Amino acid sequence: GAGVSQSPSNKVTEKGKDVELRCDPISGHTALYWYRQRLGQGLEFLIYFQGNSAPDKSGLPSDRFSAERTGESVSTLTIQRTQQEDSAVYLCASSSGGVADSYEQYFGPGTRLTVT
Amino acid sequence: GQNIDQPTEMTATEGAIVQINCTYQTSGFNGLFWYQQHAGEAPTFLSYNVLDGLEEKGRFSSFLSRSKGYSYLLLKELQMKDSAPYLCAVRFFGAGSYQLTFGKGTKLSVIP
């Protein structure tokens, strides 16, 4: 079936605006992750959803960031009052098991966010 | 947070063998992944190690030493298409939860 998809692929927004990024995981994958990758940097964990458990939000950099997931399907990452330092590629990944398992994470193509 | 160290860049010749090293702090270690990430694309899974030793998968092999906090990715019979950043990611368990921490990646350039 289809892989992980993300939309939009590119987003340019003005400082102070809110943005919403979408992730469609692979069907049947119970775990979903959001990462941020700034230019020249490694992947930075943001948030992790596993089934119906409470999400692990320990990587969210500030209260301007939030994410939701509907059941075991679509997830949205919302950034309020965007700042220039929020400019990055936002990657979503899903896996068939939880983070404690050996299951590999399948990544989406990412959303490139540019805050002007 | 946990520090994952890997070289920033490496260059190797087509047809040769290259070894990309990754070191990490051993506390809470619970598995290590290698990913390849071509420019503008999503990372793709290469290997997973949780026990000491070598895991071989075609031209790619990955080694782990838990006591030393050390892993390497070995690429044999290099091809031009292997030019890409390679990401080392380590899963740690701490404060009641697991988390995957990525290194900054090693940019491999394969030259003729």
Side-chain angles (χ1 to χ4, degrees):
Chain A
V4 178
S5 61
Q6 293 185 244
S7 61
S9 55
N10 279 285
K11 176 72 176 179
V12 180
T13 189
E14 292 181 355
K15 178 181 174 182
K17 300 284 188 182
D18 297 352
V19 295
E20 190 172 279
L21 313 180
R22 177 187 170 107
C23 171
D24 284 87
I26 293 173
S27 178
H29 278 191
T30 58
L32 186 146
Y33 312 77
W34 281 99
Y35 295 90
R36 176 170 70 177
Q37 188 172 31
R38 291 186 168 126
L39 188 65
Q41 302 295 312
L43 272 71
E44 178 186 4
F45 166 79
L46 296 178
I47 188 169
Y48 158 60
F49 295 90
Q50 172 60 52
N52 294 319
S53 302
D56 177 356
K57 304 179 181 180
S58 59
L60 295 178
S62 77
D63 59 8
R64 295 187 296 106
F65 288 70
S66 63
E68 294 183 350
R69 187 180 186 194
T70 307
E72 293 185 352
S73 61
V74 173
S75 175
T76 55
L77 176 69
T78 301
I79 309 173
Q80 296 177 310
R81 305 181 303 280
T82 52
Q83 304 293 314
Q84 288 185 331
E85 62 261 29
D86 298 335
S87 296
V89 175
Y90 289 82
L91 289 161
C92 174
S94 71
S95 70
S96 55
V99 72
D101 301 314
S102 65
Y103 300 105
E104 64 184 273
Q105 296 183 18
Y106 293 83
F107 283 82
T111 294
R112 181 175 297 279
L113 175 66
T114 304
V115 182
T116 60
Chain B
Q2 297 283 356
N3 288 325
I4 313 295
D5 291 317
Q6 49 182 137
T8 304
E9 295 184 35
M10 297 185 71
T11 301
T13 306
E14 189 176 15
I17 298 173
V18 71
Q19 177 175 312
I20 303 174
N21 296 326
C22 172
T23 58
Y24 60 90
Q25 297 167 264
T26 58
S27 176
F29 173 83
N30 196 264
L32 186 145
F33 299 78
W34 283 96
Y35 284 84
Q36 179 193 60
Q37 186 179 23
H38 283 286
E41 298 181 12
T44 55
F45 171 82
L46 294 177
S47 68
Y48 170 74
N49 294 71
V50 69
L51 299 176
D52 287 351
L54 189 68
E55 296 281 341
E56 296 189 78
K57 189 185 293 186
R59 293 191 299 114
F60 291 19
S61 302
S62 57
F63 171 83
L64 177 69
S65 169
R66 296 173 61 120
S67 62
K68 295 181 180 178
Y70 168 70
S71 172
Y72 66 72
L73 180 69
L74 193 71
L75 291 76
K76 304 176 186 176
E77 302 168 15
L78 280 173
Q79 302 174 10
M80 299 298 289
K81 67 178 182 179
D82 296 330
S83 294
Y86 289 83
L87 311 180
C88 174
V90 181
R91 182 173 61 217
F92 295 97
F93 182 79
S97 68
Y98 293 91
Q99 197 167 109
L100 198 63
T101 301
F102 282 79
K104 295 183 179 180
T106 298
K107 184 178 180 182
L108 175 66
S109 299
V110 180
I111 58 176

